[in-house]
Amino acid sequence: MKLSSRFRYGLRLLVDLAVNYEKGPVLLRNIADCERISKKYLEQIVITLRTAGLIGATRGSKGGYFLTKDPRKIKITDIYKILEGPFAPVDCLDNPKICVLIRTCATRKLWAKLAECIEETFGGQTLVDLLKK
Amino acid sequence: MKLSSRFRYGLRLLVDLAVNYEKGPVLLRNIADCERISKKYLEQIVITLRTAGLIGATRGSKGGYFLTKDPRKIKITDIYKILEGPFAPVDCLDNPKICVLIRTCATRKLWAKLAECIEETFGGQTLVDLLKK
DNA sequence: TAATTTCCCTATTTATTATATATATTACCC
DNA sequence: GGGTAATATATATAATAAATAGGGAAATTA
């Protein structure tokens, strides 16, 4: 089980924005260089985050991206849901219909437990909690 | 974060073998039909499990696959390592060299915590623990 | 010997991930 | 207003991984 780089990159981007919170918008180019990520890939990720309302943008010179709310109020679990999807490690947990074998499935409970544990690991942590290190 | 179907299928296959433990070898064809999995894909998975020493096989008519040891002694974590790989949700946890940003990485600790939690979820559970349901 | 089944090698399809290209739109500043 | 710098958007391409498929060799049973 690996985290998607979509989520990893997105999270790091948000950390960068958190550092610069209230210091004005941050250039995507800078983040891409700093984090060694393709700027074009970041653009895609940024769209998702903007649609979700986590970040805003201003265009033109002196433009860039910024958090729309206090990083103390942005939970890691929210970011996870947006970029990584549901916590369930298998699709059939949330959509029992897609599996014919639900009744006899010996592993279902284990997957549910796994989903819980992942969510709990993030606990109530927010973006600022990541900065404290 | 999703589990690979490689691991899910492999685990279900092992559960089937556990049910038939000491009742003689099980046909791959039967498992494939039962579990609605491509037999050819199962063949690949089975090779890995056999190489790892978890299962054995006999060819020819009346042949098939079987567990090489008591299902009470086969831990889920072992199967995970064989089919899914390390518990770390990112590669840089086990191989710090592959990432240039280790020193400044704000998320590293979180990933370590996640790896632990995944391992602990499986706890000491074995194949038979899955059957009890 | 014939039937059955694993074993093994290779090819193909499909899906996901990541990067690249090109153009349009917006905002700032002189 | 015009130039420049940045995001916005759509699409194409490349790279990688996941899953399926084919065919035949080797072993086992009867």
Side-chain angles (χ1 to χ4, degrees), chain A residues 43-112:
Chain A
E43 265 176 30
Q44 289 178 22
I45 296 172
V46 143
I47 289 173
T48 313
L49 292 172
R50 211 170 56 84
T51 308
L54 245 53
I55 67 177
T58 54
R59 305 206 229 187
S61 75
K62 306 252 169 168
Y65 295 92
F66 50 86
L67 296 182
T68 52
K69 52 182 174 179
D70 194 303
R72 271 169 295 195
K73 291 183 179 162
I74 299 180
K75 286 188 283 181
I76 312 290
T77 48
D78 293 335
I79 306 169
Y80 188 98
K81 280 182 218 156
I82 293 167
L83 293 176
E84 191 77 36
F87 291 107
V90 293
D91 289 334
C92 61
L93 256 192
D94 296 324
N95 309 313
K97 290 173 191 168
I98 65 174
C99 178
V100 209
L101 307 165
I102 291 291
R103 297 193 161 278
T104 58
C105 181
T107 55
R108 197 176 158 77
K109 271 192 183 169
L110 196 56
W111 305 155

Side-chain angles (χ1 to χ4, degrees), chain B residues 6-130:
Chain B
R6 190 179 156 77
F7 173 60
R8 287 187 290 117
Y9 293 171
L11 186 56
R12 270 152 62 182
L13 176 140
L14 287 169
V15 168
D16 282 2
L17 296 193
V19 170
N20 289 80
Y21 186 57
E22 288 180 332
K23 290 181 193 166
V26 180
L27 282 190
L28 206 56
R29 209 183 112 74
N30 288 350
I31 297 178
D33 288 352
C34 261
E35 306 278 356
R36 319 289 164 93
I37 305 167
S38 132
K39 190 185 156 223
K40 282 293 177 181
Y41 192 33
L42 274 183
E43 261 178 33
Q44 289 179 18
I45 296 171
V46 144
I47 289 174
T48 313
L49 293 172
R50 210 170 56 83
T51 308
L54 245 52
I55 66 177
T58 54
R59 307 204 229 189
S61 74
K62 307 247 170 170
Y65 295 92
F66 50 86
L67 295 182
T68 51
K69 52 181 175 180
D70 194 302
R72 269 169 296 194
K73 290 182 181 165
I74 300 180
K75 286 188 282 182
I76 311 291
T77 48
D78 293 335
I79 306 168
Y80 188 98
K81 280 181 219 158
I82 293 167
L83 294 176
E84 190 77 37
F87 292 107
V90 292
D91 289 334
C92 59
L93 256 193
D94 295 324
N95 309 314
K97 289 173 195 170
I98 65 174
C99 178
V100 208
L101 307 166
I102 290 290
R103 296 192 163 279
T104 59
C105 181
T107 55
R108 198 176 157 77
K109 271 192 183 169
L110 195 56
W111 305 155
K113 209 175 152 194
L114 202 50
E116 277 176 39
C117 113
I118 293 170
E119 187 164 8
E120 278 169 21
T121 298
F122 295 120
Q125 280 193 77
T126 67
L127 267 184
V128 278
D129 293 320
L130 289 182

